[in-house]
């Protein structure tokens, strides 16, 4: 069975400093992995996805994530945080490739960005 | 990208009444849609998979008689919370995979408050 663990429930950074949101997964298959962002009172937005192609995945708004099979990790990074990055971030694993599979959500990491 | 809408965006109802939430894929057809529930400051939990022209598939622990799902067309799925109680108050989110893509698109969510 698939599962995903987000190692930090809250992360606080200063504007302009790097962001690291950690995620570990467990999967019996070759997983598809995603990062979604949820701003207050808004819908989920896909940041990036890994589907067995390049292990370093670039997403929107300067975010990227690296799939490391040996470490079963898929950490999200950004070189320089903006105030607008403050939101809830979810690491998600899919039971397989293709959009028709169930998504398993991590507990979420709330990112705070301070001036 | 593909757009998924939900209606209403928020609803307040009295205990014992039923509430219908609509999920529409606006610019693509969706034979499958997913319904999630998100309690405050928690992650998304998959409730059920809605299949066009057939019965929905419910996750373990979700009462199918309480959460009625109808997928009447290729662009519309509805979730009806029957005999709602205060513990049903939550944020309900739907998603739909766009054909040939390995991504689900999420609706903006419906916030339900049962008094």
């Amino acid at each position: 069975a698939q599962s995903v663990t987000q190692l930090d429930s809250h992360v606080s950074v200063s504007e302009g400093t790097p962001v690291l949101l950690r995620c570990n997964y467990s999967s019996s298959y070759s997983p598809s992995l995603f990062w979604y962002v949820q701003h207050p009172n808004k819908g989920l937005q896909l940041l990036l996805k890994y589907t067995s192609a390049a292990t370093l995945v670039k997403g929107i708004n300067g975010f990227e994530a690296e799939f490391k099979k040996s470490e079963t990790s898929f950490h999200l990074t950004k070189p320089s945080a903006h105030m607008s990055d403050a939101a809830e971030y979810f690491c998600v694993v899919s039971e397989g490739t293709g959009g028709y599979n169930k998504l398993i959500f991590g507990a979420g990491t709330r990112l705070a960005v301070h001036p | 990208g593909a757009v998924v809408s939900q209606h209403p965006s928020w609803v307040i109802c009295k205990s014992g009444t039923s509430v219908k939430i609509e999920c529409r894929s606006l610019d693509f057809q969706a034979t499958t849609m997913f319904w999630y529930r998100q309690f405050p400051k928690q992650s998304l939990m998959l409730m059920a998979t809605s299949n066009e022209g057939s019965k929905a598939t419910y996750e373990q622990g979700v009462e199918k008689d309480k959460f009625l799902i109808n997928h009447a067309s290729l662009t519309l799925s509805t979730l009806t919370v029957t005999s709602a109680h205060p513990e049903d108050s939550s944020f309900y989110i739907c998603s739909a995979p766009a054909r040939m893509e390995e991504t689900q698109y999420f609706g903006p969510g419906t916030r339900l408050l049962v008094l």
Side-chain angles (χ1 to χ4, degrees):
Chain A
Q2 273 81 357
S3 67
V4 59
T5 302
Q6 292 184 242
L7 300 170
D8 307 291
S9 59
H10 290 84
V11 171
S12 181
V13 300
S14 298
E15 190 175 22
T17 64
V19 175
L20 170 64
L21 305 183
R22 298 182 295 167
C23 173
N24 286 104
Y25 70 91
S26 174
S27 176
S28 302
Y29 312 97
S30 295
S32 292
L33 293 158
F34 309 81
W35 276 98
Y36 282 89
V37 61
Q38 185 180 39
H39 291 274
N41 299 315
K42 291 191 176 180
L44 288 157
Q45 181 181 20
L46 178 67
L47 282 177
L48 50 81
K49 61 182 179 182
Y50 166 78
T51 55
S52 74
T55 56
L56 182 61
V57 182
K58 294 187 182 298
I60 62 172
N61 300 334
F63 286 95
E64 63 181 38
E66 186 172 7
F67 173 73
K68 292 186 176 181
K69 186 175 181 179
S70 60
E71 299 177 9
T72 61
S73 68
F74 191 58
H75 301 334
L76 181 70
T77 61
K78 182 174 181 177
S80 176
H82 293 173
M83 296 295 290
S84 60
D85 294 329
E88 187 85 18
Y89 291 79
F90 293 99
C91 182
V92 181
V93 64
S94 171
E95 289 189 340
T97 58
Y100 292 83
N101 294 287
K102 296 180 184 178
L103 298 181
I104 310 299
F105 280 74
T109 298
R110 182 165 297 276
L111 175 65
V113 182
H114 301 289
Chain B
V3 178
V4 175
S5 71
Q6 286 184 239
H7 177 80
S9 55
W10 60 270
V11 57
I12 302 173
C13 69
K14 293 182 179 179
S15 185
T17 61
S18 294
V19 174
K20 180 184 286 188
I21 302 169
E22 294 184 347
C23 177
R24 292 183 185 272
S25 55
L26 296 185
D27 49 2
F28 66 102
Q29 294 181 335
T31 56
T32 299
M33 290 183 176
F34 299 93
W35 286 97
Y36 297 83
R37 181 168 52 186
Q38 183 181 30
F39 290 108
K41 299 188 186 302
Q42 294 188 27
S43 189
L44 280 74
M45 297 297 294
L46 180 65
M47 297 176 64
T49 303
S50 173
N51 303 297
E52 191 268 335
S54 65
K55 292 183 179 181
T57 305
Y58 291 83
E59 295 300 301
Q60 191 173 7
V62 178
E63 299 176 58
K64 62 180 181 180
D65 294 329
K66 180 168 186 61
F67 299 99
L68 299 179
I69 291 173
N70 188 328
H71 198 143
S73 77
L74 290 172
T75 59
L76 173 64
S77 175
T78 60
L79 168 68
T80 300
V81 183
T82 62
S83 186
H85 291 285
E87 58 265 30
D88 298 324
S89 299
S90 188
F91 194 47
Y92 292 88
I93 304 170
C94 71
S95 73
R99 192 170 295 176
M100 302 304 291
E101 294 189 40
E102 295 175 332
T103 306
Q104 291 183 21
Y105 292 93
F106 285 81
T110 296
R111 193 166 300 281
L112 170 63
L113 176 61
V114 184
L115 302 177

Short mmCIF file of all heavy atoms in Angstrom, two decimals, chain A residues 2 4 9 11 20-21 26 28 30 35 37 42 62 67 70 72 77-79 81 86 93 95 106-107 109 111:
data_model
loop_
_atom_site.label_atom_id
_atom_site.label_comp_id
_atom_site.label_asym_id
_atom_site.label_seq_id
_atom_site.Cartn_x
_atom_site.Cartn_y
_atom_site.Cartn_z
N GLN A 2 0.32 2.27 -0.64
CA GLN A 2 1.06 3.53 -0.70
C GLN A 2 0.82 4.37 0.54
O GLN A 2 -0.26 4.34 1.13
CB GLN A 2 0.61 4.33 -1.92
CG GLN A 2 1.35 4.00 -3.19
CD GLN A 2 0.82 2.77 -3.86
OE1 GLN A 2 -0.08 2.11 -3.38
NE2 GLN A 2 1.38 2.44 -4.99
N VAL A 4 2.44 8.35 2.35
CA VAL A 4 3.37 9.46 2.22
C VAL A 4 3.46 10.18 3.55
O VAL A 4 2.45 10.38 4.23
CB VAL A 4 2.93 10.41 1.07
CG1 VAL A 4 1.55 10.97 1.31
CG2 VAL A 4 3.94 11.50 0.84
N SER A 9 5.30 19.64 9.90
CA SER A 9 3.94 20.19 9.79
C SER A 9 3.99 21.70 9.53
O SER A 9 3.07 22.24 8.91
CB SER A 9 3.15 19.90 11.06
OG SER A 9 3.79 20.46 12.18
N VAL A 11 6.80 24.98 8.47
CA VAL A 11 8.12 25.47 8.11
C VAL A 11 8.03 26.99 8.01
O VAL A 11 7.09 27.51 7.40
CB VAL A 11 8.61 24.87 6.77
CG1 VAL A 11 9.87 25.56 6.30
CG2 VAL A 11 8.86 23.37 6.92
N LEU A 20 12.78 24.33 1.88
CA LEU A 20 12.89 22.87 1.79
C LEU A 20 11.70 22.27 2.52
O LEU A 20 11.55 22.45 3.72
CB LEU A 20 14.19 22.37 2.42
CG LEU A 20 14.29 20.83 2.61
CD1 LEU A 20 14.27 20.12 1.26
CD2 LEU A 20 15.55 20.47 3.40
N LEU A 21 10.87 21.56 1.79
CA LEU A 21 9.75 20.84 2.38
C LEU A 21 9.99 19.35 2.13
O LEU A 21 10.11 18.93 0.98
CB LEU A 21 8.42 21.29 1.76
CG LEU A 21 8.12 22.78 1.81
CD1 LEU A 21 6.74 23.06 1.22
CD2 LEU A 21 8.22 23.33 3.21
N SER A 26 6.11 5.67 0.62
CA SER A 26 6.19 4.22 0.64
C SER A 26 5.29 3.70 -0.47
O SER A 26 4.13 4.12 -0.57
CB SER A 26 5.72 3.67 2.00
OG SER A 26 5.65 2.27 1.98
N SER A 28 4.57 0.16 -3.21
CA SER A 28 4.89 -1.17 -3.72
C SER A 28 5.18 -1.15 -5.21
O SER A 28 5.69 -2.11 -5.76
CB SER A 28 3.74 -2.14 -3.44
OG SER A 28 3.45 -2.19 -2.07
N SER A 30 6.21 1.38 -8.85
CA SER A 30 6.91 2.59 -9.24
C SER A 30 5.91 3.73 -9.12
O SER A 30 4.94 3.79 -9.88
CB SER A 30 7.41 2.47 -10.68
OG SER A 30 8.38 1.46 -10.78
N TRP A 35 3.44 17.29 -5.98
CA TRP A 35 3.32 18.32 -4.95
C TRP A 35 2.20 19.27 -5.37
O TRP A 35 2.18 19.76 -6.51
CB TRP A 35 4.61 19.12 -4.79
CG TRP A 35 5.62 18.48 -3.88
CD1 TRP A 35 6.69 17.72 -4.24
CD2 TRP A 35 5.67 18.56 -2.45
NE1 TRP A 35 7.40 17.32 -3.12
CE2 TRP A 35 6.78 17.82 -2.02
CE3 TRP A 35 4.87 19.19 -1.49
CZ2 TRP A 35 7.13 17.69 -0.67
CZ3 TRP A 35 5.21 19.07 -0.15
CH2 TRP A 35 6.32 18.33 0.25
N VAL A 37 -0.18 22.71 -3.98
CA VAL A 37 -0.23 23.84 -3.05
C VAL A 37 -1.68 24.27 -2.88
O VAL A 37 -2.46 24.25 -3.83
CB VAL A 37 0.65 25.01 -3.53
CG1 VAL A 37 0.18 25.54 -4.88
CG2 VAL A 37 0.67 26.14 -2.50
N LYS A 42 -8.78 28.57 -1.34
CA LYS A 42 -8.63 28.33 -2.77
C LYS A 42 -8.44 26.85 -3.04
O LYS A 42 -8.13 26.07 -2.14
CB LYS A 42 -7.46 29.14 -3.33
CG LYS A 42 -7.70 30.63 -3.34
CD LYS A 42 -6.63 31.35 -4.13
CE LYS A 42 -6.93 32.84 -4.21
NZ LYS A 42 -5.91 33.58 -4.98
N GLY A 62 9.13 28.47 -9.73
CA GLY A 62 10.50 28.25 -9.27
C GLY A 62 10.71 27.05 -8.38
O GLY A 62 11.81 26.83 -7.88
N PHE A 67 13.38 13.18 -7.12
CA PHE A 67 12.96 11.84 -6.75
C PHE A 67 14.20 11.02 -6.44
O PHE A 67 15.08 10.85 -7.30
CB PHE A 67 12.17 11.19 -7.90
CG PHE A 67 11.85 9.74 -7.67
CD1 PHE A 67 10.88 9.38 -6.75
CD2 PHE A 67 12.49 8.74 -8.40
CE1 PHE A 67 10.57 8.04 -6.55
CE2 PHE A 67 12.19 7.40 -8.20
CZ PHE A 67 11.22 7.06 -7.28
N SER A 70 16.48 5.56 -3.66
CA SER A 70 17.23 4.92 -2.58
C SER A 70 16.83 5.46 -1.22
O SER A 70 16.93 4.77 -0.21
CB SER A 70 18.73 5.13 -2.80
OG SER A 70 19.05 6.51 -2.81
N THR A 72 13.76 6.93 -0.78
CA THR A 72 12.28 7.03 -0.87
C THR A 72 11.83 8.43 -0.49
O THR A 72 10.93 8.62 0.34
CB THR A 72 11.58 5.97 0.00
OG1 THR A 72 11.94 6.16 1.38
CG2 THR A 72 11.94 4.58 -0.44
N THR A 77 11.86 21.93 -3.13
CA THR A 77 12.78 23.04 -2.84
C THR A 77 12.48 24.23 -3.72
O THR A 77 11.88 24.13 -4.79
CB THR A 77 14.25 22.62 -3.05
OG1 THR A 77 14.43 22.24 -4.43
CG2 THR A 77 14.64 21.47 -2.16
N LYS A 78 12.94 25.38 -3.22
CA LYS A 78 12.89 26.62 -3.99
C LYS A 78 14.05 27.47 -3.52
O LYS A 78 14.27 27.60 -2.31
CB LYS A 78 11.56 27.34 -3.80
CG LYS A 78 11.44 28.62 -4.62
CD LYS A 78 10.05 29.23 -4.52
CE LYS A 78 9.97 30.49 -5.38
NZ LYS A 78 8.63 31.10 -5.38
N PRO A 79 14.81 28.05 -4.42
CA PRO A 79 16.02 28.77 -4.01
C PRO A 79 15.74 30.01 -3.17
O PRO A 79 16.52 30.34 -2.27
CB PRO A 79 16.68 29.16 -5.34
CG PRO A 79 16.07 28.27 -6.37
CD PRO A 79 14.70 27.97 -5.89
N ALA A 81 12.50 32.19 -1.33
CA ALA A 81 11.08 32.26 -0.99
C ALA A 81 10.51 33.65 -1.23
O ALA A 81 11.17 34.67 -0.98
CB ALA A 81 10.88 31.88 0.47
N ALA A 86 3.59 31.59 0.84
CA ALA A 86 2.97 31.16 2.09
C ALA A 86 1.66 30.43 1.79
O ALA A 86 0.74 31.00 1.19
CB ALA A 86 2.71 32.36 2.98
N VAL A 93 1.09 10.79 -3.38
CA VAL A 93 1.53 9.63 -4.14
C VAL A 93 0.34 9.00 -4.82
O VAL A 93 -0.76 8.98 -4.27
CB VAL A 93 2.26 8.60 -3.24
CG1 VAL A 93 1.32 8.04 -2.17
CG2 VAL A 93 2.87 7.48 -4.05
N GLU A 95 -1.32 5.63 -6.88
CA GLU A 95 -1.16 4.17 -6.90
C GLU A 95 -0.58 3.67 -8.20
O GLU A 95 -0.31 2.50 -8.33
CB GLU A 95 -2.53 3.51 -6.66
CG GLU A 95 -3.02 3.68 -5.23
CD GLU A 95 -4.25 2.84 -4.94
OE1 GLU A 95 -4.93 2.44 -5.88
OE2 GLU A 95 -4.52 2.60 -3.75
N GLY A 106 -0.31 13.43 1.81
CA GLY A 106 0.38 13.60 3.08
C GLY A 106 -0.40 14.54 3.96
O GLY A 106 -1.40 15.14 3.55
N ALA A 107 0.06 14.69 5.18
CA ALA A 107 -0.66 15.50 6.16
C ALA A 107 -0.56 16.99 5.88
O ALA A 107 -1.32 17.77 6.43
CB ALA A 107 -0.16 15.19 7.56
N THR A 109 2.23 20.47 4.87
CA THR A 109 3.21 21.33 5.53
C THR A 109 2.79 22.77 5.31
O THR A 109 2.61 23.19 4.17
CB THR A 109 4.62 21.13 4.96
OG1 THR A 109 5.04 19.79 5.19
CG2 THR A 109 5.60 22.10 5.62
N LEU A 111 3.68 26.44 5.12
CA LEU A 111 4.85 27.28 4.92
C LEU A 111 4.52 28.72 5.26
O LEU A 111 3.58 29.29 4.72
CB LEU A 111 5.34 27.18 3.47
CG LEU A 111 6.50 28.11 3.09
CD1 LEU A 111 7.76 27.72 3.86
CD2 LEU A 111 6.77 28.07 1.59
#
